[in-house]
Amino acid sequence: MATEESNTMNIGDRIRILRTNQKRTLQEVADGSELSKSMISKIENNKTVPSVAALIKIAHTLGTNISSLLETEAFLNAIVTTKQKAEDNLRQTEKGYFFYPFGQEYHQKKMQPMLFVARKGEVKPHLLQHEGEEFIYIISGEMKMTVGEIDYHLKTGDSLYFNCLQKHGIMPISDEVHYLDIFV
């Protein structure tokens, strides 16, 4: 298993990831931070450690703050969650089902995967809607998933992908259902 220390990135790696995610060139960051393109390249390749003043300028150019560049926890390469950790940290909602959000520590993730556990007789009937898209995969058990005007009977191994602007809600059919829900 990787250690926490070997799993973190250097400041240069964090800067490069932010820059490439924004589809910006080295020259654009150099111009915005009043540093040379060569200096930005050296920083991104971890050949030099920038001064605090340079970090502040780079952070400002990238639309972030110096803290986000320095927080090693926020820039983990990969986050491992054991089954036990997820099950031990389930949170109950007012609707009666439980959830665990995976990858909470990952910086600026583009999706939110969650483990859900719902028990028959504990989930309150509900329909909700919000922006985005959702993917559901049934790990074990059975449930009814309502999306818009249609009810879907989902069993172990089944999945459903839908636009979240449609009203949607779940109701367990088996005594307990475990499912993965990914929001984008």
Side-chain angles (χ1 to χ4, degrees):
M1 173 144 327
T3 65
E4 195 73 19
E5 186 177 336
S6 67
N7 196 27
T8 58
M9 292 183 251
N10 293 315
I11 292 169
D13 298 321
R14 297 179 214 138
I15 291 169
R16 184 181 60 254
I17 287 171
L18 285 173
R19 178 182 63 78
T20 57
N21 282 347
Q22 295 175 14
K23 298 182 181 1
R24 298 177 76 182
T25 65
L26 285 169
Q27 190 62 58
E28 289 172 329
V29 174
D31 292 344
S33 61
E34 301 174 344
L35 297 168
S36 70
K37 180 179 173 182
S38 171
M39 178 58 76
I40 299 295
S41 178
K42 286 177 184 174
I43 293 168
E44 285 190 2
N45 289 303
N46 300 301
K47 303 270 190 232
T48 189
V49 177
S51 67
V52 172
L55 275 177
I56 290 170
K57 290 178 180 181
I58 292 168
H60 179 73
T61 300
L62 293 171
T64 189
N65 58 48
I66 191 169
S67 295
S68 70
L69 294 179
L70 296 173
E71 292 171 356
T72 57
E73 293 270 328
F75 276 90
L76 297 174
N77 285 324
I79 297 169
V80 175
T81 304
T82 63
K83 178 181 176 185
Q84 193 65 52
K85 179 181 179 182
E87 290 174 350
D88 289 348
N89 291 287
L90 287 166
R91 302 175 194 162
Q92 187 170 18
T93 70
E94 76 279 359
K95 300 295 184 199
Y97 53 82
F98 297 81
F99 75 97
Y100 175 79
F102 292 105
Q104 297 173 74
E105 307 90 349
Y106 199 86
H107 185 71
Q108 296 182 338
K109 58 184 169 291
K110 295 181 177 40
M111 65 176 167
Q112 178 57 67
M114 301 177 104
L115 170 65
F116 280 83
V117 176
R119 297 183 182 111
K120 193 175 194 176
E122 293 181 16
V123 176
K124 299 172 186 167
H126 64 282
L127 290 174
L128 52 98
Q129 65 188 97
H130 50 87
E131 289 191 19
E133 297 175 355
E134 219 168 300
F135 172 79
I136 292 177
Y137 177 81
I138 308 299
I139 299 167
S140 64
E142 295 180 42
M143 72 178 192
K144 176 181 81 169
M145 179 82 202
T146 301
V147 179
E149 302 295 321
I150 301 173
D151 291 336
Y152 298 92
H153 184 131
L154 302 173
K155 301 176 183 177
T156 301
D158 292 346
S159 66
L160 183 66
Y161 191 104
F162 61 94
N163 183 316
C164 301
L165 289 175
Q166 299 178 82
K167 289 188 177 183
H168 56 281
I170 65 111
M171 190 57 63
I173 294 173
S174 58
D175 289 338
E176 188 169 273
V177 59
H178 293 234
Y179 61 98
L180 176 66
D181 195 335
I182 301 173
F183 300 84
V184 181

